[in-house]
Amino acid sequence: MDFGLVLQTDPPASAVVDLMRRAEANGFRYGWTFDSSVLWQEPFVIYSQILEHTSALTVGPMVTNPGTRTWEVTASTFATLNDMFGNRTVCGIGRGDSAMRVAGRKPHTLARLGEAIDVIRDLAEGREADVGGQRLRIPWVKDGRLPVWMAAYGPRALALTGQKADGFILQLADPYLTEWMVKAVRDAAAAAGRDPADVRICVAAPAYLTADDSPEALAHARDECRWFGGMVGNHVADLVARYGEHSDLVPEALTEYIKARQGYDYAHHGRAGNPDTAFVPDDIVDRFCVIGTARHHVARMRELKALGVDQFALYAMHDAREQVIEGYGDSVIPALRD
């Protein structure tokens, strides 16, 4: 099982680079960042520094989208990094949440996302692609490789992931929902004539290590991670708007908790103490995130691994970033290494 670290690109960029270096030293193999041009610094600039200061870490956005950059620019940027550092990037992509909404735009359609996945991957790997009716190829790409992993929750997005993506990013760590959604992706892959095992599975969620299981320690950990339920709630609200509150296509274990949701200010997006996440109950934090002692983390990782999860990507947007990186390096990653 692989492990990744997910960060926001808050200034100073040197701190992001230092945390990624620390992660690699502790056994993490992936370094992910948010990609929202207004809210944070430009991640692709910072990727070059992460790659320069690590030896094997694979880096990429969790997640980019088809609209904030043209597809040939996205592909060329990845291809340039790969040419410089040896195919050490991965493209996480989705319809677009914060990057689009903050700029006053709606998330992209799944049809456009599916087209973008094919074009970006083909161009970054040196093949010709149709970009708006123009046949393009990046001539200097040699032996390029760019896995494209898609973030998804809803039934149509899960199906598209199985049909086209090299990997599936599920942003929550609930075992029941993981099993449900991994099955949907793999069924779609099989229906498309693909080997379902070729689709890599990444579960991404906050992880907070506590020294003990005392009520006080767990309460603090929940408060530091409650923001995540609000972030996921943005996507869930879209699903409820499309499919209704009770649908066989979307499990109630995902949609039920957003009934008390009243709005969301992206100024606090992805940050501990987000005032727009008071509606998120403790049981959702416990299900969607991984909190508790190292023993609890190892148990959850083993449960996820048994469900087919290939990577756990750890969101470290809380007050114990260094501690969780070191704690995973000491106790969790060694217990899960293949």
Side-chain angles (χ1 to χ4, degrees):
M1 189 176 189
D2 286 334
F3 289 84
L5 177 67
V6 190
L7 298 174
Q8 295 168 337
T9 51
D10 288 314
S14 58
V16 178
V17 176
D18 287 345
L19 286 169
M20 291 297 187
R21 292 178 63 191
R22 184 187 292 248
E24 183 180 54
N26 277 278
F28 290 77
R29 292 178 176 170
Y30 284 79
W32 304 89
T33 75
F34 282 28
D35 177 18
S36 191
S37 301
V38 174
L39 296 177
W40 300 287
Q41 292 186 329
E42 173 55 38
F44 286 93
V45 176
I46 298 171
Y47 295 157
S48 66
Q49 291 298 300
I50 296 171
L51 290 164
E52 174 67 26
H53 289 89
T54 57
S55 60
L57 201 70
T58 296
V59 304
M62 187 178 282
V63 294
T64 194
N65 68 84
T68 51
R69 302 171 186 85
T70 61
W71 301 348
E72 69 274 16
V73 169
T74 299
S76 181
T77 304
F78 277 113
T80 301
L81 292 171
N82 283 337
D83 186 66
M84 293 172 67
F85 298 104
N87 288 337
R88 288 169 53 201
T89 67
V90 57
C91 177
I93 195 166
R95 294 176 58 223
D97 180 39
S98 63
M100 298 301 293
R101 298 186 202 268
V102 166
R105 308 185 191 107
K106 294 181 179 179
H108 298 280
T109 65
L110 287 173
R112 182 170 174 80
L113 176 56
E115 186 181 355
I117 287 172
D118 290 337
V119 168
I120 292 168
R121 180 169 49 211
D122 283 346
L123 290 176
E125 294 185 345
R127 295 184 294 276
E128 187 178 83
D130 186 312
V131 184
Q134 180 75 27
R135 299 300 298 180
L136 298 179
R137 186 177 71 84
I138 302 176
W140 48 263
V141 173
K142 300 291 187 292
D143 301 319
R145 182 177 180 275
L146 181 65
V148 181
W149 295 22
M150 181 174 156
Y153 292 108
R156 292 174 57 237
L158 294 169
L160 181 64
T161 303
Q163 293 158 9
K164 288 184 176 290
D166 300 297
F168 167 42
I169 297 172
L170 174 59
Q171 295 176 88
L172 52 80
D174 175 81
Y176 170 78
L177 291 172
T178 298
E179 182 176 21
W180 196 95
M181 294 187 184
V182 168
K183 181 180 185 302
V185 168
R186 289 188 165 155
D187 286 350
R194 304 179 66 194
D195 182 348
D198 288 343
V199 183
R200 305 285 289 174
I201 307 296
C202 173
V203 160
Y208 198 103
L209 279 166
T210 61
D212 54 48
D213 291 322
S214 67
E216 295 78 13
L218 293 175
H220 179 75
R222 291 186 183 108
D223 285 344
E224 287 292 309
C225 297
R226 199 175 307 277
W227 63 265
F228 184 68
M231 187 182 82
V232 173
N234 297 329
H235 303 284
V236 175
D238 286 345
L239 294 177
V240 170
R242 176 177 292 273
Y243 298 104
E245 292 186 11
H246 305 286
S247 170
D248 292 338
L249 298 175
V250 183
E252 285 194 24
L254 178 62
T255 61
E256 180 69 19
Y257 83 100
I258 69 160
K259 287 183 177 179
R261 180 180 183 269
Q262 295 183 342
Y264 193 85
D265 183 351
Y266 280 89
H268 311 290
H269 188 59
R271 299 190 185 281
N274 186 334
D276 297 322
T277 60
F279 72 93
V280 180
D282 286 352
D283 71 292
I284 287 293
V285 180
D286 292 346
R287 283 172 44 208
F288 285 13
C289 307
V290 187
I291 64 173
T293 63
R295 185 172 69 174
H296 176 79
H297 287 249
V298 169
R300 179 74 70 89
M301 293 305 112
R302 286 177 173 157
E303 192 173 5
L304 293 172
K305 183 177 179 181
L307 296 174
V309 174
D310 300 293
Q311 179 186 157
F312 177 67
L314 180 164
Y315 283 98
M317 282 63 117
H318 50 58
D319 64 358
R321 297 185 301 179
E322 292 83 358
Q323 293 93 320
V324 78
I325 292 170
E326 299 288 342
Y328 263 64
D330 289 342
S331 303
V332 181
I333 293 176
L336 274 296
R337 274 284 182 236
D338 292 324

